[in-house]
C-alpha cells in the first residue's frame, strides 16, 4: 500500500501553519521571524521552545523535542502519524485520499478505542443489573447519586473470567484486538484468554477528546491489589494522562485540584468542583505537570494527610513548580481525604470545601509549616537546624520579593534578625548559582562531546567530521541550488557517519526530484530523527551562509575521511602503512 503523497502532505502543512496551531495550545512570543515559548512537552520556567517559521519546524533546546506540524500534533494530542494527519485534514476542511496509504496501526488504535467504549457499556449494564448489585451498593454507600454514576460511566466487572471477552467477541472484536486493549490476556496454557478485570467496580478513563482509553477497577474482596489499572497500550500511557481531565478542561477555572484517587475526584465533582483530576496509580510525573499547564495556571494539591500523602505532596510541589505552575496545598482537617470530607458535610459539602480552598496557603507556606513541625523551637540546636533548612527553601524562590517576605516571617518566628537571614540566603543563592553554572558547563561539554547523541551514535567518535556534515546538510536545505556544486566535490561515501550520509542522500534525492526537502519529515523519519534534524536546522540559523563556509565544511569532511582509522592501520600491509604515513606527511607540508 502506497504512502501519502508529497502533494497531500504539503497541502496539509500549508493549510495548518505550525505557529498558529501551536499558539492554540501555548503562549508564544515573536522573536524576529520566529516564535518562542515555554515548551508544552516538559516543565520549564525559561522558554526554550522555538518555532522556525521559515522551515515550519519546532525544536526545544530543553527536552530536545522537534519536528514539523504533524509531529507537533502527534506529541501534543498523543496520536499516531495517520491520526495526526486526519486531525489536521479535518481542521483544514480537507478530505483524506482513499486507499493509498498504510493505516494498519491507525486502524488498530481505532479498534482499541471501540473495544474500550463497548467494554464501558458492558460494565455499566452489569452495574445496573442483578449481577452488579454489590458494586452499585458500594457506590451508593459512598454517597454517589445515580446521575453521578451515569456521568462518569461507572460500571462493574462480574466475578467471572470470561464475561467481557465473550461479550466483545460477540460484537466482532478479535482476540488480538482485545489483548492490544489490555482488556483480556492469554492464560498460562495459552488455550484461552481471561478478563483482566473481574469482581471490581470500574472507572472508565476518558481522554480530552472523549475517547475511553483505559480503566481503573476497585476489587470487591480483600484481594490485592485493591486498585488495578489498564497497562500501557497504543492509546494509553498512565504517565501522560489524568483522570477526569475531560471534565476539568471545561471548568470555568484557571486552577485544577489534584487528588490522589478516583473517588476523591468524583465526590468533588458531585459537590460542584468539576476542576478536580487525579493521577492514575502512579506518582505525579513531569509529563502530567506539563499536561496540566495547558489547561490551568494554578494547581491545588489535595492529597491524603498520611505520611505517604505528605511525601507525595512534597514531590508534586517540586514537579509543578518546575513546570512553571502556581502551587497551593489544601489541608483537610482531621486528616480526612476529600471524599470523606465531602460525605461528612452532606449538603453543605460544597461550602465547607470552598472554605478550605479559600484558607489554603501556597506551597511555600505549606513547606515552612511542615518543616517547623519537625523542630522544637525551645531548643537552641533545633532552632538552628530549622533556620538552616528554612534558608535552603528560601533559596529555591526565584522572586526576590517572595524571598524578602519569607525572610521577614522567619525572623518573626525565630527572633533572628532579617539581615542575618538574608545574608545566609544570599550565600546560599551564590552556591546555587555556582552549581547551576557547573551543571550548564557539564551539559555543554556533553553536547560538544556528543555523548548523548542517540540518533547519530558515531558522532562522539568523529566530532569534527560529524559537525561539518551537519553544517553541510543544514546549508544544503537552506540552499538547494548549491546541490550540483556540492555533488561535484562530495560523494555520499565521503561521509564518516552513517546517519548523516543517510540524510545527505535523502535530501539530495528530494532536491533532484524538485521536492521540498522538509515536507515529508514526519512521514519518513522517526520522532528522534526529526528532533535531530530540527536541532541541525536551528544550529544552522546561527551559521554563516557563504560559499566560503560551504567549502570549509566540504574540506573538513574530505580531510576527515582521508584519515586512517585504527582498523586501517591494524589491517594494513607494510606498503599500505608506508603510503598512509606519506599521505599524512604531505598534508602537513
Amino acid at each position: 500500500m502506497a504512502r501519502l503523497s508529497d502533494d497531500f502532505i504539503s497541502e496539509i502543512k500549508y493549510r495548518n501553519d505550525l505557529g498558529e496551531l501551536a499558539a492554540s495550545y501555548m503562549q508564544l512570543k515573536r522573536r524576529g521571524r520566529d516564535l518562542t515559548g515555554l515548551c508544552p512537552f516538559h516543565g520549564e520556567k525559561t522558554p526554550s521552545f522555538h518555532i522556525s517559521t521559515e522551515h515550519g519546524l519546532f525544536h526545544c533546546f530543553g527536552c530536545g523535542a522537534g519536528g514539523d506540524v504533524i509531529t507537533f500534533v502527534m506529541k501534543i494530542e498523543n496520536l499516531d502519524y495517520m491520526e495526526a494527519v486526519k486531525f489536521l485534514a479535518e481542521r483544514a476542511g480537507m478530505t483524506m485520499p482513499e486507499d493509498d496509504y498504510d493505516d494498519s496501526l491507525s486502524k488498530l488504535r481505532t479498534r482499541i478505542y471501540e473495544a474500550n467504549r463497548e467494554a464501558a457499556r458492558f460494565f455499566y449494564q452489569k452495574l445496573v443489573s442483578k449481577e452488579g448489585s454489590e458494586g452499585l451498593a458500594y457506590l451508593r454507600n459512598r454517597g454517589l447519586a445515580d446521575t453521578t454514576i451515569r456521568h462518569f460511566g461507572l460500571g462493574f466487572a462480574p466475578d467471572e473470567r470470561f464475561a467481557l471477552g465473550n461479550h466483545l467477541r460477540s460484537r466482532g472484536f478479535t482476540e488480538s484486538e482485545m489483548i492490544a486493549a489490555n482488556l483480556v490476556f492469554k492464560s498460562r496454557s495459552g488455550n484461552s484468554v481471561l478478563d483482566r478485570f473481574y469482581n471490581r467496580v470500574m472507572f472508565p478513563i476518558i481522554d480530552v477528546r472523549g475517547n475511553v482509553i483505559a480503566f481503573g477497577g476497585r476489587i470487591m474482596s480483600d484481594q490485592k491489589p485493591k486498585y488495578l489499572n489498564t497497562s500501557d497500550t497504543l492509546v494509553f500511557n498512565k504517565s501522560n494522562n489524568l483522570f477526569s481531565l475531560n471534565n476539568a478542561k471545561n471548568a470555568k477555572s484557571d486552577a485544577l485540584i489534584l487528588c490522589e484517587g478516583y473517588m476523591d475526584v468524583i465526590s468533588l465533582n458531585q459537590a460542584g468542583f468539576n476542576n478536580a483530576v487525579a493521577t492514575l496509580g502512579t506518582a505525579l510525573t513531569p509529563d502530567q505537570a506539563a499536561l496540566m499547564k495547558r489547561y490551568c495556571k494554578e494547581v491545588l494539591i489535595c492529597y491524603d494527610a498520611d505520611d505517604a500523602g505528605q511525601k507525595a505532596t512534597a514531590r508534586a510541589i517540586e514537579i509543578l513548580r518546575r513546570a512553571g505552575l502556581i502551587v497551593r496545598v489544601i489541608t483537610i482537617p482531621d486528616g480526612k481525604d476529600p471524599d470523606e470530607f465531602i460525605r461528612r458535610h452532606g449538603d453543605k459539602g460544597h461550602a465547607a470545601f470552598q472554605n478550605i480552598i479559600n484558607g489554603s496557603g501556597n506551597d511555600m507556606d505549606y513547606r515552612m509549616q511542615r518543616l517547623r513541625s519537625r523542630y522544637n523551637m525551645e531548643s537552641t540546636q533545633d532552632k538552628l537546624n530549622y533556620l538552616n533548612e528554612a534558608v535552603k527553601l528560601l533559596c529555591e524562590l526565584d522572586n526576590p520579593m517572595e524571598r524578602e517576605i519569607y525572610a521577614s516571617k522567619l525572623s518573626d518566628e525565630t527572633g533572628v534578625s532579617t539581615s542575618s537571614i538574608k545574608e545566609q540566603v544570599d550565600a546560599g543563592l551564590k552556591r546555587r548559582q555556582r552549581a547551576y553554572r557547573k551543571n550548564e558547563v557539564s551539559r555543554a561539554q556533553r553536547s560538544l562531546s556528543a555523548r548523548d547523541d542517540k540518533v547519530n551514535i558515531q558522532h562522539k567518535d568523529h566530532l569534527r567530521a560529524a559537525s561539518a556534515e551537519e553544517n553541510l546538510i543544514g546549508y544544503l536545505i537552506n540552499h538547494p541550488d548549491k546541490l550540483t556544486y556540492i555533488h561535484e566535490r562530495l560523494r555520499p561515501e565521503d561521509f564518516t557517519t552513517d546517519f548523516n550520509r543517510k540524510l545527505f542522500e535523502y535530501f539530495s534525492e528530494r532536491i533532484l526530484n524538485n521536492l521540498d526537502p522538509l515536507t515529508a519529515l514526519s512521514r519518513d523519519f522517526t520522532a528522534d530523527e526529526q528532533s535531530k534534524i530540527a536541532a541541525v536546522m536551528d544550529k544552522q540559523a546561527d551559521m554563516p551562509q557563504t560559499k566560503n563556509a560551504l567549502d570549509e565544511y566540504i574540506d573538513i569532511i574530505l580531510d576527515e575521511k582521508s584519515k586512517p582509522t585504527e582498523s586501517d592501520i591494524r589491517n594494513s600491509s607494510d606498503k599500505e602503512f608506508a603510503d598512509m604515513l606519506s599521505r599524512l606527511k604531505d598534508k602537513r607540508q
Side-chain angles (χ1 to χ4, degrees):
M1 199 177 278
R3 301 180 301 174
L4 287 171
S5 70
D6 268 59
D7 287 343
F8 182 77
I9 297 173
S10 182
E11 185 69 14
I12 282 276
K13 295 171 80 168
Y14 174 75
R15 294 202 196 181
N16 291 277
D17 178 76
L18 173 58
E20 179 188 326
L21 183 134
S24 67
Y25 292 92
M26 56 189 292
Q27 289 187 334
L28 291 167
K29 291 183 179 179
R30 188 159 291 280
R31 190 182 69 185
R33 289 187 301 174
D34 297 341
L35 300 165
T36 62
L38 295 172
C39 180
F41 305 123
H42 82 288
E44 62 178 7
K45 296 178 183 178
T46 305
S48 59
F49 185 87
H50 171 243
I51 291 178
S52 166
T53 57
E54 179 185 359
H55 297 112
L57 296 177
F58 72 90
H59 174 239
C60 176
F61 296 96
C63 67
D68 59 16
V69 67
I70 299 174
T71 319
F72 183 87
V73 170
M74 289 172 67
K75 287 184 69 65
I76 207 155
E77 291 286 350
N78 191 30
L79 303 175
D80 66 24
Y81 174 75
M82 199 55 63
E83 287 174 326
V85 172
K86 289 177 181 177
F87 176 97
L88 291 171
E90 185 177 331
R91 182 177 184 268
M94 295 173 61
T95 302
M96 290 289 292
E98 295 183 5
D99 299 327
D100 68 342
Y101 53 86
D102 184 357
D103 64 347
S104 54
L105 188 62
S106 180
K107 285 180 178 177
L108 177 57
R109 286 169 66 99
T110 298
R111 290 297 283 169
I112 293 173
Y113 285 133
E114 291 171 349
N116 283 336
R117 185 169 63 247
E118 186 58 38
R121 290 196 189 107
F122 172 81
F123 292 140
Y124 178 76
Q125 289 165 359
K126 290 299 179 183
L127 179 72
V128 297
S129 71
K130 185 178 179 180
E131 287 179 271
S133 58
E134 183 185 3
L136 187 59
Y138 168 80
L139 293 173
R140 285 175 174 167
N141 288 337
R142 296 291 296 264
L144 298 189
D146 289 349
T147 52
T148 301
I149 291 170
R150 284 195 300 273
H151 176 70
F152 280 90
L154 306 184
F156 185 74
D159 192 10
E160 51 182 292
R161 302 309 305 271
F162 303 100
L164 178 61
N166 289 338
H167 173 78
L168 291 176
R169 197 175 288 108
S170 73
R171 292 295 189 272
F173 292 96
T174 65
E175 194 173 278
S176 60
E177 289 169 344
M178 291 186 278
I179 291 173
N182 198 227
L183 294 169
V184 302
F185 62 92
K186 283 242 182 222
S187 64
R188 287 183 180 178
S189 66
N191 297 324
S192 61
V193 292
L194 306 174
D195 290 355
R196 176 169 175 78
F197 300 100
Y198 64 96
N199 194 30
R200 290 179 183 268
V201 169
M202 300 300 294
F203 301 85
I205 299 163
I206 301 171
D207 68 16
V208 292
R209 294 183 303 279
N211 298 308
V212 181
I213 56 174
F215 294 92
R218 187 197 189 280
I219 196 75
M220 289 288 94
S221 66
D222 294 329
Q223 282 182 250
K224 300 293 182 183
K226 182 192 240 182
Y227 279 92
L228 180 67
N229 292 308
T230 301
S231 298
D232 288 353
T233 69
L234 277 175
V235 305
F236 174 67
N237 183 305
K238 64 177 71 69
S239 297
N240 295 335
N241 290 278
L242 293 162
F243 179 67
S244 197
L245 185 60
N246 58 308
N247 294 307
K249 74 181 179 68
N250 298 318
K252 296 178 181 179
S253 173
D254 284 335
L256 290 176
I257 302 172
L258 178 60
C259 305
E260 282 195 49
Y262 303 125
M263 287 303 303
D264 292 331
V265 170
I266 295 171
S267 291
L268 285 174
N269 267 261
Q270 184 168 269
F273 299 95
N274 59 348
N275 59 331
V277 297
T279 51
L280 300 165
T282 63
L284 181 71
T285 67
D287 287 334
Q288 289 168 331
L291 178 61
M292 284 189 275
K293 183 72 182 291
R294 296 179 208 163
Y295 297 97
C296 72
K297 297 177 181 177
E298 181 180 43
V299 174
L300 287 72
I301 302 174
C302 191
Y303 285 173
D304 291 351
D306 58 17
D307 286 344
Q310 296 311 302
K311 287 178 182 177
T313 297
R315 185 175 182 275
I317 287 171
E318 183 181 343
I319 292 171
L320 293 168
R321 260 193 172 260
R322 201 182 305 135
L325 286 156
I326 299 168
V327 184
R328 280 199 282 159
V329 180
I330 298 174
T331 303
I332 299 177
D334 302 324
K336 307 293 184 187
D337 59 36
D339 174 41
E340 189 177 359
F341 180 86
I342 292 289
R343 283 189 286 125
R344 181 179 177 184
H345 285 82
D347 294 339
K348 297 180 180 179
H350 179 92
F353 195 77
Q354 186 62 57
N355 285 336
I356 294 178
I357 290 177
N358 295 341
S360 63
N362 64 29
D363 61 302
M364 191 62 182
D365 288 329
Y366 168 82
R367 290 196 286 178
M368 291 289 282
Q369 184 181 19
R370 289 279 300 171
L371 183 62
R372 185 173 182 181
S373 68
R374 291 163 40 194
Y375 296 104
N376 174 13
M377 291 297 103
E378 300 302 318
S379 163
T380 302
Q381 186 60 50
D382 269 17
K383 183 184 288 189
L384 183 60
N385 291 339
Y386 170 59
L387 279 163
N388 288 331
E389 292 297 317
V391 163
K392 290 179 184 177
L393 288 181
L394 266 59
C395 289
E396 295 178 17
L397 299 175
D398 297 320
N399 189 318
M401 287 187 293
E402 201 175 0
R403 289 198 297 268
E404 182 91 22
I405 289 169
Y406 283 101
S408 179
K409 283 186 176 182
L410 191 57
S411 173
D412 292 341
E413 282 180 356
T414 61
V416 175
S417 69
T418 305
S419 59
S420 295
I421 292 170
K422 288 173 66 177
E423 185 179 331
Q424 291 301 308
V425 171
D426 288 342
L429 289 171
K430 288 177 182 177
R431 286 193 296 271
R432 284 172 63 86
Q433 185 64 22
R434 285 195 296 271
Y436 171 78
R437 287 174 180 167
K438 184 178 179 181
N439 288 336
E440 285 298 293
V441 169
S442 177
R443 189 167 73 167
Q445 288 174 336
R446 283 201 311 273
S447 178
L448 289 171
S449 70
R451 285 180 309 205
D452 297 334
D453 193 336
K454 296 180 176 61
V455 176
N456 187 351
I457 58 175
Q458 296 168 308
H459 191 161
K460 65 181 183 298
D461 299 319
H462 305 280
L463 292 175
R464 187 166 178 257
S467 219
E469 290 166 0
E470 288 180 0
N471 289 334
L472 180 130
I473 289 164
Y475 187 98
L476 173 61
I477 293 170
N478 282 331
H479 305 277
D481 58 303
K482 297 296 184 185
L483 178 64
T484 301
Y485 174 75
I486 294 171
H487 276 194
E488 287 173 354
R489 295 202 57 199
L490 204 61
R491 301 166 301 165
E493 50 266 36
D494 292 326
F495 278 66
T496 301
T497 65
D498 295 335
F499 178 70
N500 286 340
R501 183 184 305 115
K502 169 186 168 182
L503 292 187
F504 181 65
E505 291 175 329
Y506 173 84
F507 291 122
S508 294
E509 182 181 357
R510 290 189 65 80
I511 293 168
L512 285 171
N513 289 312
N514 296 314
L515 298 172
D516 180 88
L518 299 172
T519 289
L521 280 192
S522 52
R523 183 193 69 192
D524 296 338
F525 292 95
T526 67
D528 287 342
E529 288 172 340
Q530 290 177 67
S531 297
K532 176 71 173 177
I533 294 166
V536 166
M537 295 310 299
D538 251 351
K539 175 185 172 187
Q540 188 65 23
D542 298 322
M543 303 297 288
Q545 301 295 307
T546 63
K547 185 173 178 297
N548 285 341
L550 172 60
D551 286 332
E552 183 178 344
Y553 304 149
I554 294 172
D555 290 342
I556 292 173
I557 292 169
L558 293 174
D559 181 54
E560 290 296 307
K561 182 64 177 177
S562 67
K563 290 180 179 178
T565 65
E566 286 186 22
S567 176
D568 292 335
I569 296 170
R570 187 169 54 251
N571 298 320
S572 64
S573 64
D574 290 342
K575 183 179 183 307
E576 289 170 336
F577 181 69
D579 288 342
M580 285 182 208
L581 285 178
S582 177
R583 287 197 301 272
L584 291 172
K585 288 176 182 177
D586 289 341
K587 282 189 177 184
R588 292 198 196 103
Q589 294 173 357

